[in-house]
Amino acid sequence: KNNTSMAGKSAAPVSSSLSKLQSLNGLFAIYKKQGPTSADVLNSLKEALLREAGVANPNPRKRKKQSLKMGHGGTLDSTAHGVLVVGVGNGTKMLSTMLAGSKKYVAVGELGKATDTLDASGSVVLEKDFGHITRLDIEDKLKSFTGDIMQVPPLYSALKKDGQRLSVLLKKGHKVEAKPPRPVTVYNLTLQEFKPPLFTLDIECGGGFYVRSLVDDLGKALSSCAHVKELTRTKQGQFTLEEHALHEEQWTLEHILRSLQPCSESEQGVDSTEPPEDDTLGTHSEQDLK
């Protein structure tokens, strides 16, 4: 597979590190910072690795011989940060499993203001009083959002209509209808802190769950409104933010080899180099989707 041609002896070290890179198969986790989309972060990772392997002008979007087969296991909103699971080589076949698996988030919500995107990146579309809400009120309402529930995904999401992302259609000025409610699972939901108007939630959920929808729905249930101010994914599958997520300065072949969870030859699964998206905060341009 890795028949990298050697144009002269000087190219030898380049080809060997490139072929090492292209022979990687498995899963690892990286840290996605706030700002870029999950796709942007994946492209930066590819670029860093190709450059380290001596590819002169790596273009991560070109799928030629220099390219690297890589995908991520569930979009994190651009405004969110935390664990992003990456599949490389045959590891991309395991991404659909990661997408459906359990995830943990810490979300900071703000009461009294609703936004069009359901998070801090959007415009405020509604302001309501929140002075009547107590810690006990929130804890009581959280019970109805625990277990197997029905949830309407945000309009601004990576979900698609006729092949186009809803978030992209909205930004182009198209009218978009809400998707029907979908069954999602919340394994654990606790209120960590309440300093009005801010509240912090600890969330453990299954695939296809949107933290933004939860916070929006919770605000309504409290006779007010709310949006996500900050979202952190602390765990996805077996990968945790503290233990496993490689930060930008660790995006090297050596670090990846050290943290790679290899996949067996018999790994079943659908090959999805560009997996469906799964959001929890949701990145509107790409969030979670099942």
Side-chain angles (χ1 to χ4, degrees):
K1 223 193 296 192
N2 301 308
N3 55 346
T4 319
S5 64
M6 297 202 205
K9 284 180 185 166
S10 62
V14 170
S15 347
S16 72
S17 50
L18 182 59
S19 57
K20 243 180 222 161
L21 202 52
Q22 290 173 326
S23 62
L24 290 174
N25 293 293
L27 295 174
F28 61 98
I30 61 172
Y31 172 74
K32 181 194 130 12
K33 62 184 180 186
Q34 222 171 336
T37 66
S38 296
D40 292 337
V41 172
L42 195 65
N43 282 321
S44 304
L45 169 69
K46 280 188 192 177
E47 216 167 311
L49 292 170
L50 288 167
R51 192 164 277 131
E52 184 199 19
V55 177
N57 296 303
N59 179 345
R61 289 171 173 86
K62 285 262 163 62
R63 302 193 174 181
K64 292 282 187 287
K65 277 182 188 158
Q66 65 163 42
S67 86
L68 209 43
K69 188 177 171 191
M70 231 175 222
H72 63 74
T75 307
L76 254 187
D77 287 347
S78 48
T79 51
H81 62 115
V83 181
L84 188 67
V85 174
V86 174
V88 60
N90 291 337
T92 54
K93 297 176 184 176
M94 303 154 77
L95 291 173
S96 49
T97 318
M98 290 309 308
L99 199 62
S102 81
K103 303 167 185 74
K104 282 187 179 180
Y105 295 86
V106 175
V108 178
E110 181 177 343
L111 290 167
K113 288 178 182 172
T115 69
D116 53 2
T117 58
L118 311 189
D119 68 12
S121 71
S123 315
V124 175
V125 290
L126 180 67
E127 298 202 32
K128 285 185 102 168
D129 181 48
F130 55 88
H132 60 284
I133 299 167
T134 66
R135 188 183 180 104
L136 283 171
D137 289 333
I138 300 177
E139 288 176 336
D140 182 53
K141 291 293 182 221
L142 288 178
K143 292 173 190 160
S144 59
F145 291 100
T146 306
D148 294 323
I149 61 167
M150 295 301 286
Q151 186 188 63
V152 177
L155 278 182
Y156 279 82
S157 74
L159 296 177
K160 294 182 177 174
K161 177 181 191 269
D162 305 329
Q164 289 216 59
R165 282 187 200 281
L166 294 182
S167 51
V168 174
L169 289 170
L170 277 167
K171 284 171 190 164
K172 288 180 182 168
H174 292 269
K175 282 262 187 288
V176 173
E177 278 176 46
K179 291 264 181 183
R182 315 185 294 172
V184 291
T185 304
V186 179
Y187 301 106
N188 241 309
L189 183 55
T190 51
L191 178 64
Q192 228 183 27
E193 206 178 343
F194 182 39
K195 291 184 178 168
L198 303 181
F199 60 95
T200 304
L201 301 176
D202 251 339
I203 304 154
E204 188 177 356
C205 57
F209 181 84
Y210 282 84
V211 175
R212 285 181 293 143
S213 292
L214 166 73
V215 168
D216 183 59
D217 292 340
L218 178 62
K220 291 173 186 163
L222 292 162
S223 306
S224 182
C225 58
H227 69 275
V228 172
K229 191 174 164 68
E230 211 181 294
L231 183 73
T232 312
R233 179 151 69 195
T234 56
K235 190 169 191 244
Q236 182 175 6
Q238 74 266 45
F239 299 97
T240 66
L241 181 54
E242 284 181 3
E243 278 184 82
H244 307 100
L246 299 175
H247 286 249
E248 222 161 323
E249 63 277 9
Q250 302 169 306
W251 292 356
T252 65
L253 180 60
E254 189 191 348
H255 279 100
I256 289 168
L257 282 167
R258 218 180 284 167
S259 65
L260 192 71
Q261 306 266 339
C263 51
S264 62
E265 290 300 310
S266 64
E267 209 59 64
Q268 295 302 305
V270 189
D271 184 357
S272 53
T273 320
E274 305 214 343
E277 327 255 332
D278 162 282
D279 137 296
T280 331
L281 160 28
T283 261
H284 339 290
S285 46
E286 25 168 356
Q287 226 337 152
D288 38 338
L289 215 157
K290 226 168 146 190

